[in-house]
Amino acid sequence: MVNDISSVLKRKKRNKDIRQLCNILHDKYYIDKSKVARAMKLPVQYYYDFVADTRDLLYPNLIKIESFIFDLYDPLLEYEMERNNIHLDPLDDDSDNQISLNI
């Protein structure tokens, strides 16, 4: 039970951190949300809800977003992570076992 709570808290923190990085990209660097969502083949509203903090994601879609933005903007995000004191913890093996919700 305690391990489950810890896992949920880690996932929520990762949601918060990735959301913050996405918002930095959108607000500071004017990267279009709808283009990012379409490039990842996610419904635009689903991605909008995530960055607006009205939806938390399970690991498969969260990792999809994380991988996508880091593939494109790694140097920029590394700089912003240092500047904004964002630290992404290594992923646990449990993160691979979560089931993605159909969207």
Side-chain angles (χ1 to χ4, degrees):
M1 180 75 174
V2 172
N3 196 19
D4 290 341
I5 293 171
S6 174
S7 177
V8 169
L9 292 175
K10 285 181 183 178
R11 182 176 49 83
K12 287 195 172 286
K13 182 188 180 311
R14 195 166 204 92
N15 267 273
K16 177 184 166 274
D17 292 341
I18 297 302
R19 178 180 297 113
Q20 184 177 358
L21 291 173
C22 288
N23 280 314
I24 288 169
L25 289 174
H26 302 310
D27 298 340
K28 185 173 180 181
Y29 298 100
Y30 302 106
I31 295 169
D32 188 82
K33 292 176 194 171
S34 61
K35 287 183 180 181
V36 170
R38 286 194 299 269
M40 289 185 288
K41 300 188 181 355
L42 291 174
V44 174
Q45 190 60 49
Y46 181 83
Y47 182 72
Y48 274 42
D49 289 347
F50 169 69
V51 295
D53 198 13
T54 58
R55 175 190 300 261
D56 273 345
L57 305 180
L58 295 177
Y59 277 116
N61 286 329
L62 185 61
I63 292 169
K64 182 178 188 175
I65 292 170
E66 180 179 342
S67 297
F68 182 82
I69 65 172
F70 273 94
D71 283 349
L72 291 176
Y73 307 109
D74 186 42
L76 188 63
L77 292 173
E78 293 294 333
Y79 166 76
E80 291 295 344
M81 286 173 63
E82 184 177 321
R83 188 169 182 262
N84 292 286
N85 199 26
I86 299 170
H87 175 73
L88 295 175
D89 294 326
L91 292 171
D92 297 337
D93 291 336
D94 294 342
S95 62
D96 294 332
N97 297 329
Q98 289 192 10
I99 300 171
S100 176
L101 299 176
N102 290 335
I103 36 178

